[in-house]
Amino acid sequence: MIYLKKIIAYCGGDGVGPEVVEEGLKVLKVISEYTDFEFDFKEAPAGGNVYKKSGKSLPNQSFETIKNSDALLFGAVGLPDLPPGVGEVAVLQIRQKLDLYVNLRPIKLYDSLRDRCPLKDEFIGKGIDIAFVRENTEGLYANKGAVLTDETAENSMVYTRKGCERIINYAFELAKSLNHSKVTSVDKANVLNPSRLWRKIFHEIGEKYPEINKEDIYIDAFCQWLIRKPDSFQTVVTGNMFGDIISDEGAFLIGSLGMASSGNIHPGKVSMYEPIHGSAPDIAGKGIANPIGAILSVKLMMQESFHSPNIAKLIENSVEEALIEGRTIDLKNPEIKTRNTREMGDLITEKLKKNLKK
Ligand code: NAD
Ligand code: IPM
Ligand code: MN
């Protein structure tokens, strides 16, 4: 048998982060038990709790571990008793240092979760299945020229041609591989220069894909279209800040912020997979967080970093099957047994073992 050896760095981070990453690791352990993959796990501590101990949110040694791994499974960072941004900077530094310019955030409403979608059937229409592609290294997040005094505060939004081209190219290629007939670009070109450049490049690149329809929507209107007609979107490409916001909106449409996964990707290089939610201080330590965003992030890792679409699909199938029998409290349904984080992870791994054996 040929073993596919991979080093997986992992970082729980703060709040519910370690609770959900634990369940993601369980899934990876099942994969190494039941398939030709062999995973070696290495912890890379980061975030607010690490800052409190060491004065650094991303210690050098943790970054070395990450850099030398094949992929990183990340939880969430940020603590309410630290100033905003102190723990969080760890995730931004990883994205910048590894040049993870793609933030892929799929939003899919499972049939088994239609009862938790806040929209009426009339608005759900044919269903919700959107690939959000968020630019992940430029814009306001690059923090160029940042100023903060008591009198003035400034962050500048810089977009480069190179930065726009690579993410928009990625989005069109993704749309092609998913057989999508349309790519939607979300911007604010009626106000912002970076959006004007972005829009120009979107159409330049779009010309190479005559079979794919191109659509521009302003961010404000998009926020209502996403609720009003979510089934009209397939691949959606947007900048860093807008992508952050609309992906949380999308996550609640599929049932809970705890459901949504993400890949921070530089194709062919070490990439980071994390649920899109944060450290959820309101439920941290209770063992009730939904681990599915983290587990579906493992699905994305198998798909994007380890090129195993079949295993990825089996993870997703296992999640869907498990949701019929058990749910965490954020997805409450009186007819379905409520499970805690661990029990939900166990239910999914049981299904996965059966699916991998078939
Ligand atoms: P949040 O995503 O942590 O929580 C928002 C709401 O969603 C809360 O009610 C929370 O309980 C719920 N929620 C989140 N994850 C859940 C899960 N897995 N299961 C069930 N419910 C869940 O957003 P926030 O409260 O604005 O942020 C808390 C902290 O997390 C802040 O410090 C923020 O900066 C940080 N944050 C970090 C990341 C990251 O590490 N990538 C992402 C977002 C927010
Ligand atoms: C996310 C988070 C981060 C972001 C924060 C914690 C820096 O909200 O991953 O969505 O804004 O990108
Ligand atoms: Mn966010």
Side-chain angles (χ1 to χ4, degrees), residues 105 134 244 247-248 276:
R105 298 187 154 190
R134 169 187 178 191
D244 179 38
S247 52
D248 271 36
I276 78 163

Side-chain angles (χ1 to χ4, degrees), residues 132-344:
F132 280 111
V133 178
R134 169 187 178 191
E135 200 290 321
N136 212 32
T137 50
E138 292 202 320
L140 288 167
Y141 279 70
N143 221 13
K144 291 206 172 99
V147 172
L148 178 60
T149 71
D150 278 352
E151 302 307 319
T152 314
E154 184 183 334
N155 292 102
S156 46
M157 186 189 257
V158 179
Y159 264 98
T160 62
R161 172 167 282 276
K162 180 188 162 213
C164 297
E165 278 178 351
R166 64 182 184 172
I167 191 72
I168 293 168
N169 269 319
Y170 179 93
F172 276 102
E173 283 300 311
L174 179 75
K176 204 168 126 183
S177 72
L178 295 171
N179 282 323
H180 285 176
S181 59
K182 185 172 77 173
V183 177
T184 303
S185 165
V186 177
D187 69 29
K188 190 73 185 173
N190 49 353
V191 178
L192 302 172
N193 278 337
S195 286
R196 291 178 182 131
L197 176 64
W198 171 283
R199 193 178 274 216
K200 184 168 184 269
I201 294 171
F202 175 69
H203 289 284
E204 281 172 19
I205 292 174
E207 273 183 26
K208 291 190 287 177
Y209 299 86
E211 72 288 7
I212 297 180
N213 294 311
K214 278 70 79 173
E215 169 179 60
D216 301 290
I217 305 190
Y218 294 130
I219 177 66
D220 44 355
F222 181 82
C223 289
Q224 64 90 44
W225 281 119
L226 185 57
I227 291 171
R228 183 169 157 193
K229 221 175 167 350
D231 66 356
S232 71
F233 300 114
Q234 301 175 35
T235 295
V236 173
V237 64
T238 189
N240 211 334
M241 185 84 231
F242 301 151
D244 179 38
I245 298 165
I246 59 181
S247 52
D248 271 36
E249 186 187 350
F252 202 73
L253 293 183
I254 60 167
S256 164
L257 204 45
M259 284 299 296
S261 59
S262 78
N264 297 257
I265 301 167
H266 187 126
K269 296 198 178 165
V270 183
S271 296
M272 163 168 69
Y273 298 86
E274 54 168 350
I276 78 163
H277 64 74
S279 55
D282 54 341
I283 56 165
K286 297 185 179 160
I288 58 169
N290 186 343
I292 294 178
I295 288 172
L296 291 175
S297 300
V298 170
K299 178 221 162 193
L300 284 176
M301 181 190 288
M302 296 309 301
Q303 181 183 303
E304 302 298 318
S305 283
F306 301 152
H307 312 292
S308 297
N310 296 339
I311 295 176
K313 189 68 200 136
L314 294 181
I315 297 173
E316 185 166 42
N317 293 349
S318 306
V319 166
E320 279 196 77
E321 288 164 22
L323 282 166
I324 298 167
E325 285 171 39
R327 299 205 187 155
T328 43
I329 190 93
D330 54 314
L331 299 172
K332 199 170 174 53
N333 177 322
E335 279 156 35
I336 298 174
K337 194 172 170 224
T338 299
R339 314 255 179 169
N340 64 29
T341 308
R342 280 202 184 131
E343 290 166 342
M344 198 63 216

